[in-house]
Amino acid sequence: APALRTLAAAAAAALVAAGCGAAPAGPVEVRFWAMGREGEVVRELVPEFERRNPGIRVRVQQIPWTAAHEKLLTAFVGEATPDVAQLGNTWVPEFVALGALEELGPWVARSAVVREDDVFPGIWDTNVVDGRLYGVPWYVDTRVLFYRTDILARAGYDSVPQTWEGWREALRRMKAVMGPDRYPILLPTNEWPQPVILGMQGGAPLLREDGRWGNFSDPRFRAGFEFYIGLFREGLAPAVSGSEIANRYQEFAEGRVAMMITGPWEIGEFRRRLPADLQDRWMTAPLPGPDGPGISLAGGSSLVMFRRSERKDAAWKLIEFLSEPAQQIRFYELTGDLPSRRDAWDDPVLANDRHTRAFREQLERVRPLPKVPENELIVTKVVEQGERAARGAASVDEALRALDAEVDRILEKRRWLLARQEPER
């Protein structure tokens, strides 16, 4: 027994000595995948994060948007997902369905930085699937009206009316003062947000029965779609696709179009591309609705944590850091991407910008697309049928019936999977 105790003591001493001579553990490395311009610019924020968190290093991988979806799916299949990623809001349901994402509700509950009540409700909702939170909004996107104030004034208006009927009458009067071969609004027929937004404004969900079937023939969606098609039928919008327009900024500057529905990136484009003498003759406005101010799309990108991450504490610290109002404002200054947090909008850089005010107001009235992985296929069908109707190749009813049939086919696998999940009776 004494000999055994001596041997054990010697072994323990050897282990202690070995431990003393071992190299200290290095910093934790968090792998962060970000897309496009954001992936390039976010690197400028990393040094401050690392300064405040000396035990963490962030390795940013920039991925082109065109390759991002496939790369993320490949990484999931190969069990090589990053710790944190930027994820387009419409992609969240798909990666939730795969079981790829960490549920973030418990992390938010313990956080002093990320607060649901400070994020625009419709934007927060894009990250909630089946009542559980899987992403933290990073920056936001929605659509508003960009318009020529001088042409609207010539038609007798000092602001955009807030109802569909008032807006349509304003467009008619603008058409009258603009003359032939000029159009008060541009709605490229190959863009899906415009018909989807107007259809959603009536209050109808795009899908029914938990996303099993299309709901485009619903009278509420039909009312918005009919309003949209009516703008082409009255000659208030040209029935052309984006590829048929050589330069939309030139068309706008020369007064051949006077309005368009588009997103926040256009603020920078209008400031760069429009001539100096036109800079005080354009403005933004929230979208009109059926009976008053209307809703728009809840878009943008969120920060997600992958379930397989082995560095979740460090990953969450990065998500919290990028969610801070000061970092969101800095990110806006670098990219033009709008903050998801209301308190960031109090900063003078946004509060004093006349062109962003419409976005601030509109963001209080946004709705997400249906939370199904098939969204991208569905909206392509909206474009196809919308273009048929806009060009006179189909009536509104024919287009909507065809749209429901095509979307029902897209959702066939979803119905099958949901049926398998239902308990036997």
Side-chain angles (χ1 to χ4, degrees), residues 142-405:
T142 192
R143 303 295 195 274
V144 302
L145 278 172
F146 285 63
Y147 67 98
R148 284 279 299 266
T149 55
D150 55 333
I151 296 176
L152 186 66
R154 283 167 52 203
Y157 294 84
D158 58 7
S159 62
V160 176
Q162 295 187 336
T163 66
W164 281 356
E165 198 49 51
W167 183 26
R168 179 160 45 198
E169 182 59 27
L171 293 174
R172 290 169 177 157
R173 295 186 184 185
M174 292 168 71
K175 175 71 173 178
V177 302
M178 291 173 73
D181 300 322
R182 292 171 181 253
Y183 299 90
I185 190 165
L186 177 65
L187 301 166
T189 57
N190 63 330
E191 295 181 3
W192 63 265
Q194 295 90 325
V196 167
I197 291 169
L198 291 170
M200 290 170 63
Q201 284 189 340
L206 301 186
L207 307 178
R208 57 187 175 88
E209 296 184 35
D210 195 23
R212 288 172 167 83
W213 306 94
N215 194 44
F216 296 96
S217 295
D218 185 297
R220 294 168 294 175
F221 184 90
R222 187 190 187 283
F225 191 77
E226 189 171 39
F227 177 87
Y228 168 75
I229 297 302
L231 299 179
F232 297 101
R233 300 275 170 87
E234 283 197 53
L236 302 175
V240 296
S241 68
S243 60
E244 296 174 86
I245 305 164
N247 187 321
R248 68 171 66 193
Y249 308 103
Q250 184 176 342
E251 298 291 302
F252 188 84
E254 296 181 1
R256 286 192 285 269
V257 297
M259 280 188 184
M260 58 184 76
I261 298 174
T262 187
W265 63 89
E266 297 284 23
I267 293 176
E269 294 298 322
F270 274 46
R271 289 171 177 170
R272 284 191 294 271
R273 292 172 178 261
L274 297 184
D277 63 355
L278 202 65
Q279 289 299 327
D280 61 351
R281 288 187 282 155
W282 68 273
M283 186 49 71
T284 58
L287 294 178
D291 303 306
I295 66 160
S296 192
L297 283 173
S301 282
S302 294
L303 299 169
V304 300
M305 186 192 306
F306 281 87
R307 190 169 51 83
R308 291 191 180 120
S309 171
E310 297 178 354
R311 295 160 287 273
K312 290 177 181 173
D313 287 337
W316 179 250
K317 287 182 179 181
L318 177 62
I319 291 174
E320 285 188 313
F321 172 80
L322 295 174
S323 301
E324 293 175 357
Q327 304 308 322
Q328 292 211 337
I329 286 295
R330 177 63 178 146
F331 198 61
Y332 165 72
E333 292 173 329
L334 293 169
T335 64
D337 293 334
L338 299 177
S340 63
R341 295 187 58 153
R342 290 187 179 106
D343 52 2
W345 285 79
D346 295 332
D347 189 282
V349 71
L350 278 167
N352 297 335
D353 189 325
R354 65 194 184 104
H355 293 126
T356 63
R357 290 173 193 162
F359 286 96
R360 173 65 180 82
E361 182 179 340
Q362 187 68 71
L363 284 163
E364 297 289 353
R365 299 188 304 276
V366 293
R367 280 177 51 194
L369 290 173
K371 296 169 186 177
V372 298
E374 297 86 357
N375 264 327
E376 293 191 17
L377 283 174
I378 290 171
V379 296
T380 64
K381 298 305 179 184
V382 175
V383 167
E384 291 171 9
Q385 295 304 326
E387 186 159 26
R388 286 181 65 220
R391 294 182 184 271
S395 69
V396 166
D397 287 333
E398 288 170 340
L400 294 180
R401 281 197 299 270
L403 180 54
D404 272 331

